[in-house]
Amino acid sequence: MAQAYVTETGNGGSGPDRQGSRFRRLVDGWRGDRGIWRRGLVTAGVAVLLALVMLFHAQIPNGVGNLGSLIETFLPWLGILVPVLLVIGFVRKSATALIAVLLPAVIWVSSFGGLISDKSGAGGDLTVATHNVNAENADPSGTARDVAASGADVVALEELTADAVPTYEKALAGTYKYHSVQGTVGLWSKYPLTGTKPVDIKLGWTRAMRTTVNSPKGEVAVYVAHLPSVRVKLDAGFTANQRDASADALGEAIADEQISKVVLLGDLNGTMNDRALNAVTSQMRSTQGAAGDGFGFSWPASFPMARIDQIMVKGVEPMSSWTLPETGSDHLPIAARVEL
């Protein structure tokens, strides 16, 4: 019986020998097939095109429907096409396709592979958080309590309505002694605020502000901003011109800041890859990119696909960055710890 068992395992088992034999049969089946280089040319072409888009996305023109910015907003998701093309290459038994798929795979890993790992560290002098609370939020007091529970020293809120402001003020008063609301944005702080004023981002009403947080480790200039929304329309493409103009104005204000330590909190309605935000992103670091765990997507809250809510810094060191649990908003709140 022992001999019979050994024989059966050797012929029909699922161990390494059998798996190796399957691979050898696959290789042997392809070895004599001259069509492996002729098949899958369309798949190979798509793989090369995908690689070119990922590599030269900054050269895609924005002249027609802001196509370049639209692609850059969801750029990491192009990586989903890599395993799809890989499967098609195997099914088609196409060596040409499989080799071509290596191009976008390598480019994606080079561009976004570093975001997958956890880069957060210990320490930090100041914890900050930001949240677009949604003007139609049905539970503002619950949302305020959730954000305060993060332990943040400074909290920025965007999309505040006049009717909801008293609710947020009441809910946050026990945790944050100092606060200021400017238009539809506000800042709550455990430390004194000075030099608070609205920031003109060319909208005609206030959706950005600047203040100095007098922390135990020194002064920090904190900006809160909610840039205009963007839309994807069949007849107009990615409509973002107003957002782009506001980003330029915000970038100018930050560039003129006299305090060396600067933190930007807010909903920028754009990702770090979007060239339209260059006026801001070229002079500041993303805490998520520098010290985050994963991509940190924040919108939409039900199935986050992009990080359009941002915490950026200049003159301070990001230590960790993360998303907070879902609230009554369509955005996820985000937080970061920085060292001054």
Side-chain angles (χ1 to χ4, degrees), residues 128 130 220-223 227 250 254 261-274 277-290 307-318 321 334-336 338:
V128 298
T130 181
V220 184
V222 178
Y223 286 76
L227 298 188
L250 178 61
I254 294 173
K261 296 178 174 62
V262 184
V263 175
L264 169 62
L265 307 168
D267 173 8
L268 303 190
N269 272 305
T271 68
M272 292 295 293
N273 295 313
D274 191 340
L277 301 185
N278 279 351
V280 177
T281 58
S282 63
Q283 58 179 318
M284 306 192 80
R285 299 173 68 192
S286 163
T287 59
Q288 186 67 25
R307 185 180 177 88
I308 62 174
D309 302 276
Q310 305 289 351
I311 299 176
M312 299 185 200
V313 297
K314 180 168 68 171
V316 303
E317 186 66 26
S321 186
I334 61 175
V338 300

Side-chain angles (χ1 to χ4, degrees), residues 298-305 326 329-332:
S298 63
W299 178 88
S302 57
F303 187 79
M305 296 184 66
E326 187 175 356
S329 172
D330 57 340
H331 291 242
L332 292 178

Side-chain angles (χ1 to χ4, degrees), residues 62-83:
N62 259 345
V64 179
N66 287 300
L67 180 61
S69 288
L70 177 60
I71 290 174
E72 288 168 338
T73 298
F74 300 102
L75 195 61
W77 289 95
L78 294 181
I80 291 179
L81 295 175
V82 172

